[in-house]
């Protein structure tokens, strides 16, 4: 038997087909080969067409089925991971009314800040565990204020994963974890926040119905099955935002466990068992995939928008003839600290850890006579690792010690420079696993469909492939470079 997992990212759509009994993927892939376009009609805006995600899901699924020759009759479940905080709006005919305002769009920052002040910081932090910030609820309010004709046609709003589930099943629903990431969930009353709805002037009917994260959430329709090349009636039995799902894929489910990822954006995600928050709301707290009324499981999420996208920017503009691996190899010839070159990697919208300021990316102390492309390649990765360290210090202030970081063996964690710099700064052990978000979604779906008896069964074949410990001999040099970077950061933050 097999389970399919989709990961709906802003860069690409990923898919993994998991052999449920062996706990290993049979085949996996992504589409398109080049990163998906993010439209930016105005500075700070970021939009994508949800129908494009669906088209790519169909193309990728058919490609993998054709390559693997899997018996589609044996595919029993489907799970979805998705880019968080996006807004998709549809009318009564389930037609998309406007492009999705995605996670890195910063147009609603001021709306969220005003809500935080007027609703009250005490309520927001105690009950929502966050400021309304630049999240889905604030983005919806932007539509109401600026596009009233569109707003008046809205039947339901959705997160990106809810939209894909709708295309698969014909049903519109969401999860408590999803509502919490949109800042619609009141953790104290365990219900949708009436205060948010009242302040933003939304009717509750605009929100989808709630289903458990691991559950029968719908069945594959005949038309969707034909488009995908699958059989009708496969159960859709799991969905989660990409960061809770990334943690889930690494078996990070209990208090004190920590996951990290460094794709387009960078994330550190720690699980706690109490309703805690950062008083400045520089990190976020959302319901984790296994949160319930009976068992508090909150994911503390540090998100850095400008990480892998900076590495991609450098490759496109300075090294289009090189692979990322070749860039990494050249960077290793450069000393720690890059001969004074420093890069602040914050050029992808407002950063939560700077209290929603958009300080931009800055390339500093460039010496035309000394610095080469290789210096830039290393300075990018050091700057990203330094930004992780800066954010982890915020998590430490909440009383959380981070001794072990689990990550998938992908994206920037493939780079020895990035992972060694991070280990040397945090003094944490980094564990790399052979998994990713799509594989995690496939495991979650199999568990949600009761094809695994327990989560222990779901993860018994998860493979740890590498351990990175900090190097005491290099830690001092790394801290010197980090402290110089911090001084430069103070000029812009």
């Amino acid at each position: 038997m097999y389970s399919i997992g989709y990961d709906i990212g802003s860069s690409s759509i990923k898919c993994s087909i998991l052999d449920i009994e062996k706990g290993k993927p049979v085949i996996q892939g992504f589409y398109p080969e080049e990163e998906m376009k993010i439209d930016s009609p105005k500075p700070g805006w970021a939009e994508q067409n949800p129908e494009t995600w669906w088209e790519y899901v169909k193309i990728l699924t058919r490609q993998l089925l054709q390559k693997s020759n899997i018996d589609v009759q044996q595919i029993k479940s489907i799970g979805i991971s998705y880019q968080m905080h996006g807004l998709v709006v549809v009318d009564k005919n389930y037609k998309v009314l406007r492009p999705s305002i995605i996670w890195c769009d910063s147009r609603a920052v001021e709306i969220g800040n005003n809500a935080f002040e007027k609703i009250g910081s005490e309520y927001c932090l105690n009950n929502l565990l966050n400021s309304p910030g630049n999240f889905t609820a604030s983005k919806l309010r932007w539509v109401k204020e600026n596009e009233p004709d569109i707003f008046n046609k809205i039947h339901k709003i959705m997160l990106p994963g809810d939209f894909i589930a709708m295309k698969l099943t014909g049903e519109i629903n969401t999860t408590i974890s999803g509502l919490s990431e949109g800042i619609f969930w009141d953790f104290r009353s365990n219900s949708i926040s009436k205060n948010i709805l009242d302040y933003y002037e939304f009717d509750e009917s605009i929100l989808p119905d709630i289903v458990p994260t691991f559950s029968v959430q719908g069945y594959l329709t005949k038309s969707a099955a034909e488009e995908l090349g699958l059989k009708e009636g496969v159960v859709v039995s799991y969905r989660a935002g990409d960061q809770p799902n990334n943690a889930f894929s690494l078996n990070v489910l209990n208090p004190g466990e920590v996951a990290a990822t460094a794709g387009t954006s960078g994330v550190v995600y720690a699980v706690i068992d109490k309703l805690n928050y950062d008083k400045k709301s520089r990190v976020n707290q959302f319901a984790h995939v296994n949160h319930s009324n009976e068992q508090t499981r909150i994911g503390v999420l540090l998100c850095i928008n400008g990480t892998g996208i900076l590495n991609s920017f450098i490759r496109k503009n300075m090294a289009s003839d090189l692979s990322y691996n070749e860039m990494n190899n050249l960077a290793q010839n450069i000393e720690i600290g890059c001969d004074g070159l420093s890069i602040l990697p914050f050029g992808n919208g407002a950063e939560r850890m700077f209290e929603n300021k958009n300080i931009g990316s800055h390339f500093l102390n460039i010496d035309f006579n000394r610095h080469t492309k290789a210096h830039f390649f290393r300075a990018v990765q050091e700057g990203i690792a330094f930004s992780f360290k800066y954010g982890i210090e915020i998590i430490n202030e909440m009383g959380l010690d981070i001794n072990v970081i689990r990550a998938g063996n992908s994206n920037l964690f493939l780079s020895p420079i990035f992972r060694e710099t991070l280990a040397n700064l945090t003094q944490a052990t980094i564990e790399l696993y052979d998994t990713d978000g799509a594989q995690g979604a496939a495991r979650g779906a199999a568990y949600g469909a009761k094809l695994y008896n327990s989560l222990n069964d779901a993860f018994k074949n998860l493979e740890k492939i590498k351990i990175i410990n900090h190097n005491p001999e290099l830690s001092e040099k790394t801290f010197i470079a980090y402290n110089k970077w911090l001084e430069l950061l103070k000029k812009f933050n």
Side-chain angles (χ1 to χ4, degrees):
M1 294 189 297
Y2 305 103
S3 182
I4 293 181
Y6 295 111
D7 187 358
I8 313 301
S10 53
S11 298
S12 67
I13 307 299
K14 300 180 181 67
C15 179
S16 180
I17 303 179
L18 185 78
D19 184 311
I20 294 172
E21 183 178 358
K22 295 179 180 178
K24 300 286 185 181
V26 176
I27 191 169
Q28 50 196 0
F30 66 94
Y31 190 88
E33 291 187 7
E34 294 296 322
E35 293 179 1
M36 281 193 288
K37 182 182 178 183
I38 296 176
D39 294 320
S40 185
K42 293 184 180 181
W45 290 22
E47 300 181 342
Q48 289 181 324
N49 184 351
E51 293 290 355
T52 301
W53 307 332
W54 175 238
E55 288 302 314
Y56 290 168
V57 165
K58 292 187 292 184
I59 292 169
L60 179 58
T61 304
R62 285 190 169 276
Q63 284 182 351
L64 296 184
L65 290 174
Q66 185 176 18
K67 290 178 182 177
S68 64
N69 293 317
I70 286 172
D71 179 3
V72 296
Q73 299 297 318
Q74 293 301 309
I75 294 175
K76 302 298 183 182
S77 58
I78 297 173
I80 304 165
S81 167
Y82 59 88
Q83 49 173 299
M84 297 172 72
H85 314 306
L87 172 67
V88 180
V89 294
V90 297
D91 64 15
K92 290 183 178 180
N93 297 316
Y94 293 7
K95 179 182 177 182
V96 175
L97 292 170
R98 70 168 330 281
S100 173
I101 302 175
I102 65 171
W103 61 277
C104 54
D105 186 291
S106 57
R107 76 185 71 180
V109 168
E110 186 176 351
I111 290 172
N113 289 345
N114 289 338
F116 188 53
E117 179 182 344
K118 292 179 180 178
I119 296 174
S121 59
E122 184 176 352
Y123 169 80
C124 290
L125 294 177
N126 277 308
N127 294 63
L128 309 175
L129 306 186
N130 299 282
S131 158
N134 189 39
F135 297 120
T136 312
S138 300
K139 290 169 180 170
L140 180 61
R141 177 65 194 190
W142 183 93
V143 175
K144 183 178 177 69
E145 291 180 5
N146 294 275
E147 299 173 344
D149 290 345
I150 289 175
F151 184 85
N152 291 333
K153 295 176 184 176
I154 295 174
H155 171 58
K156 293 289 182 182
I157 72 162
M158 287 175 280
L159 297 160
D162 302 332
F163 172 78
I164 295 299
M166 181 198 78
K167 300 294 283 189
L168 292 168
T169 67
E171 299 181 25
I172 298 178
N173 46 43
T174 194
T175 64
I176 288 174
S177 181
L179 288 170
S180 76
E181 76 175 71
I183 317 299
F184 287 106
W185 190 253
D186 187 318
F187 283 92
R188 303 295 174 178
S189 65
N190 286 315
S191 64
I192 293 167
S193 170
K194 301 295 185 185
N195 290 38
I196 285 290
L197 295 181
D198 290 345
Y199 176 79
Y200 279 151
E201 300 178 298
F202 302 150
D203 191 281
E204 189 172 332
S205 64
I206 206 171
L207 298 176
D209 295 333
I210 300 172
V211 293
T213 297
F214 303 98
S215 69
V216 175
Q217 301 172 357
Y219 296 91
L220 193 63
T221 64
K222 182 179 180 180
S223 60
E226 290 173 351
E227 290 185 278
L228 291 161
L230 299 173
K231 66 170 185 173
E232 180 183 359
V234 179
V235 63
V236 175
S237 46
Y238 170 84
R239 88 185 68 173
D242 51 9
Q243 299 312 325
N245 176 73
N246 180 66
F248 172 75
S249 71
L250 294 160
N251 198 19
V252 170
L253 292 164
N254 297 307
E257 296 176 344
V258 178
T261 183
T264 302
S265 63
V267 167
V268 176
Y269 187 100
V271 178
I272 59 176
D273 59 359
K274 58 188 68 175
L275 301 181
N276 198 2
Y277 55 85
D278 172 53
K279 292 180 180 179
K280 294 183 180 179
S281 204
R282 296 166 295 173
V283 295
N284 304 116
Q285 293 70 223
F286 305 119
H288 194 31
V289 295
N290 57 339
H291 175 76
S292 66
N293 291 348
E294 297 75 31
Q295 175 181 267
T296 300
R297 292 291 183 270
I298 302 298
V300 179
L301 190 156
L302 161 72
C303 182
I304 308 162
N305 289 347
T307 56
I309 194 170
L310 169 61
N311 209 30
S312 171
F313 173 86
I314 287 292
R315 180 170 179 258
K316 287 177 182 176
N317 290 281
M318 293 183 65
S320 58
D321 57 331
L322 299 177
S323 68
Y324 286 117
N325 189 52
E326 289 170 328
M327 290 167 62
N328 293 341
N329 290 338
L330 287 171
Q332 292 206 67
N333 296 320
I334 305 301
E335 290 289 327
I336 293 170
C338 304
D339 292 323
L341 177 64
S342 284
I343 296 178
L344 306 182
F346 307 115
N348 195 26
E351 292 286 358
R352 188 72 167 182
M353 67 181 183
F354 300 140
E355 299 177 63
N356 283 323
K357 295 177 189 173
N358 186 350
I359 68 171
S361 181
H362 301 272
F363 292 43
L364 302 162
N365 298 335
I366 299 172
D367 186 324
F368 299 143
N369 298 310
R370 298 171 62 205
H371 293 144
T372 65
K373 285 184 179 181
H375 283 86
F376 280 87
F377 300 160
R378 183 174 187 110
V380 163
Q381 296 198 32
E382 286 189 352
I384 295 169
F386 294 165
S387 70
F388 268 68
K389 168 62 175 173
Y390 182 92
I392 284 172
E393 288 176 354
I394 297 172
I395 297 177
N396 295 151
E397 290 173 17
M398 295 176 65
L400 299 174
D401 292 326
I402 296 178
N403 299 312
V404 177
I405 298 172
R406 298 179 190 170
N409 189 40
S410 62
N411 299 318
L412 281 168
F413 279 99
L414 291 170
S415 165
I417 290 172
F418 172 75
R419 63 199 187 205
E420 289 166 9
T421 301
L422 184 60
N424 288 336
L425 285 173
T426 62
Q427 311 287 291
T429 298
I430 297 175
E431 299 177 347
L432 300 184
Y433 290 82
D434 185 17
T435 189
D436 61 16
Q439 191 182 138
R443 289 184 195 276
Y447 176 67
K450 301 188 184 306
L451 301 172
Y452 286 124
N453 293 323
S454 68
L455 288 172
N456 286 337
D457 286 343
F459 287 102
K460 66 182 180 182
N461 291 318
L462 181 65
E463 182 182 359
K464 186 191 299 182
I465 57 177
K466 192 182 293 288
I467 296 174
I468 299 95
N469 293 306
H470 78 277
N471 183 333
E473 293 182 6
L474 298 179
S475 289
E476 184 177 354
K477 287 184 179 179
T478 307
F479 268 102
I480 289 171
Y482 173 63
N483 287 328
K484 290 180 179 178
W485 181 89
L486 274 181
E487 289 302 311
L488 294 170
L489 175 62
K490 290 176 183 177
K491 296 179 180 179
F492 300 96
N493 180 28

